[in-house]
Amino acid sequence: MERLVGTISRGIRAPIIREGDDIAAIVVDSVLAAAKSEGFALRDRDVVAVTEAVVARAQGNYATTAQIAKDVREKVGEETLGVLFPILSRNRFAICLKGIAMGAKKIVLQLSYPADEVGNALVDLDALDEKGVDPYRDVLTEAKWRELFGYTKHLFTGVDYIAYYKELIESCGCEAEVILANDCRAILPYAKTVLCCDIHSRARTKRLLTAAGAEKVFGLDDILNAPVDGSGCNEKYGLLGSNKATEDKVKLFPRDCQPIVERIQAELLARTGKRVEVMVYGDGAFRDPVGKIWELADPVVSPAYTAGLEGQPNEVKLKYLADNDFADLSGEALQAAISDYIRKKDGDLTGKMVSQGTTPRRLTDLIGSLCDLTSGSGDKGTPIILVQGYFDNYAE
């Protein structure tokens, strides 16, 4: 009998993860306990995903603001530091900014506008038009910004991030100045040493600043890319992907995740006979149409995954086939024709009209987004997600 249900995404409850816990064993045991409790079975090509937060917690991958400060101080020296393009987030960046400010004497903070890199708005785009401000050209001081737009608060958090970040810097005994501009090179008249805090555009930003004469250029990926006084670290991403753990500690993005996903896969195969795919996931890659926030504040959706999750979907558009190739068929004949077409489809449909309208994204980004939406970011208590039927198609 054919399966009448396609993709299923289940949140799997797990114990509260602490430093030193065996995260691979916990994931395997939690998935199998849930399967027994709920009466479902694992199948080949199911996907088990575990959120990066609990992996990092099990690893003990933390750092204090004092350790951030020491790394900044040793790399920056005594120069005025330009802090460029941070996202507007109390959870993601404010705790990092506290450590950065503790390690510097003066910070010139350059914010992008009307919104940060992931869509958190300082002001509405229509307000720029009303005031005749060109965000591609105009460099605004804090005083000019206040004259034009006053004190504006974030739609969802109710925070004025210009005031919040400036006060945070000053509370650490560091002098603060704020400018607003979208050309990274606007920082150079104020500071020749720059810490780039953008996430996905950081390589280009570093390149432009270096070409324009910046003397020292760092990114958040260069801070805590090695341990400082016994801290955690992330060799590839540094502070990128970190978030607040306590008032003086950050949880870093997990490191060395590939052995973890491969061990989970191997243990599930040994205990069930099924070869599942496994991934670690962080933020999903999707955008809120109301708040305009793009979710992906992590450097990648998935820092590690098993080999079967490499690549992109290779799918045909059912409605295209129904409206074109098989427009003269209906009922069981149409079903049979489409099923046969899917079974015989090309191994690579890139650029083919029959695949137009399918989602041209990596599997890990698509599945990671599904997992992030399923687990949520609050108190659901499901840091493990089981996705079943994702690779099924109409012909199966």
Side-chain angles (χ1 to χ4, degrees), residues 242-296:
S242 64
N243 51 32
K244 182 177 181 179
T246 70
E247 293 302 321
D248 62 358
K249 184 183 288 186
V250 297
K251 177 198 67 61
L252 301 170
F253 210 51
R255 53 194 297 211
D256 302 325
C257 294
Q258 194 61 36
I260 296 172
V261 298
E262 291 177 0
R263 182 181 157 202
I264 293 170
Q265 182 183 58
E267 292 195 11
L268 284 171
L269 177 62
R271 293 176 65 175
T272 68
K274 302 301 180 182
R275 187 172 185 83
V276 304
E277 304 299 339
V278 184
M279 64 185 289
V280 175
Y281 71 96
D283 281 342
F286 48 84
R287 189 179 184 189
D288 170 17
V290 176
K292 313 300 183 188
I293 297 170
W294 185 38
E295 178 70 9
L296 189 54

Side-chain angles (χ1 to χ4, degrees), residues 222-241:
D222 299 309
I223 306 300
L224 285 183
N225 56 1
V228 174
D229 290 344
S231 74
C233 69
N234 190 299
E235 295 85 351
K236 186 174 183 179
Y237 297 121
L239 278 178
L240 290 174

Side-chain angles (χ1 to χ4, degrees), residues 11 51-54 57 89 91-92 243-244 251 281-284 286 293 295 297-298 368-385:
T51 179
E52 59 82 21
V54 296
R57 289 178 68 187
S89 171
N91 174 51
R92 285 286 191 172
N243 51 32
K244 182 177 181 179
K251 177 198 67 61
Y281 71 96
D283 281 342
F286 48 84
I293 297 170
E295 178 70 9
D298 286 327
S369 298
L370 172 61
C371 292
D372 188 27
L373 287 166
T374 303
S375 61
S377 58
D379 58 7
K380 287 184 171 59
T382 54
I384 304 162
I385 304 299

Side-chain angles (χ1 to χ4, degrees), residues 5-276:
V5 177
T7 301
I8 299 170
S9 180
R10 287 184 171 94
I12 306 296
R13 294 222 158 90
I16 301 299
I17 307 299
R18 297 294 190 188
E19 181 176 348
D21 285 347
D22 186 337
I23 188 65
I26 289 172
V27 170
V28 171
D29 289 345
S30 297
V31 169
L32 295 181
K36 182 177 180 181
S37 172
E38 298 296 317
F40 62 83
L42 292 185
R43 299 193 291 260
D44 289 326
R45 299 216 76 191
D46 285 352
V47 180
V48 172
V50 55
T51 179
E52 59 82 21
V54 296
V55 177
R57 289 178 68 187
Q59 293 175 336
N61 205 20
Y62 292 90
T64 65
T65 51
Q67 290 163 336
I68 295 172
K70 182 175 182 179
D71 204 23
V72 169
R73 194 179 302 114
E74 290 179 348
K75 288 173 177 172
V76 170
E78 298 295 319
E79 295 90 347
T80 296
L81 177 62
V83 173
L84 181 65
F85 296 157
I87 63 172
L88 307 177
S89 171
R90 293 167 296 175
N91 174 51
R92 285 286 191 172
F93 186 71
I95 188 71
C96 296
L97 181 59
K98 181 179 179 180
I100 294 164
M102 288 166 58
K105 289 189 174 181
K106 179 179 179 179
I107 285 176
V108 178
L109 178 67
Q110 181 177 328
L111 301 175
S112 58
Y113 73 95
D116 70 4
E117 179 182 2
V118 297
N120 291 297
L122 284 171
V123 70
D124 191 82
L125 186 60
D126 292 334
L128 299 185
D129 298 337
E130 181 183 333
K131 299 293 185 180
V133 174
D134 183 350
Y136 300 102
R137 181 192 64 201
D138 294 340
V139 178
L140 305 177
T141 63
E142 181 187 0
K144 184 62 176 179
W145 180 272
R146 297 302 188 193
E147 176 189 330
L148 290 169
F149 305 113
Y151 288 79
T152 57
K153 295 184 177 181
H154 189 277
L155 173 64
F156 293 139
T157 67
V159 174
D160 181 316
Y161 279 95
I162 296 175
Y164 177 61
Y165 278 178
K166 184 176 182 181
E167 291 166 5
L168 190 156
I169 294 169
E170 292 173 340
S171 73
C172 297
C174 180
E175 186 180 348
E177 183 176 355
V178 180
I179 63 171
L180 298 104
N182 291 310
D183 187 334
C184 63
R185 293 163 291 195
I187 196 71
L188 294 179
Y190 299 85
K192 295 297 184 183
T193 300
V194 183
L195 177 61
C196 306
C197 300
D198 46 344
I199 305 164
H200 307 290
S201 55
R202 62 188 184 276
R204 178 175 184 267
T205 300
K206 291 179 182 180
R207 174 173 56 80
L208 291 175
L209 287 169
T210 300
E215 295 174 2
K216 297 179 184 177
V217 179
F218 303 98
L220 285 181
D221 51 338
D222 299 309
I223 306 300
L224 285 183
N225 56 1
V228 174
D229 290 344
S231 74
C233 69
N234 190 299
E235 295 85 351
K236 186 174 183 179
Y237 297 121
L239 278 178
L240 290 174
S242 64
N243 51 32
K244 182 177 181 179
T246 70
E247 293 302 321
D248 62 358
K249 184 183 288 186
V250 297
K251 177 198 67 61
L252 301 170
F253 210 51
R255 53 194 297 211
D256 302 325
C257 294
Q258 194 61 36
I260 296 172
V261 298
E262 291 177 0
R263 182 181 157 202
I264 293 170
Q265 182 183 58
E267 292 195 11
L268 284 171
L269 177 62
R271 293 176 65 175
T272 68
K274 302 301 180 182
R275 187 172 185 83
V276 304

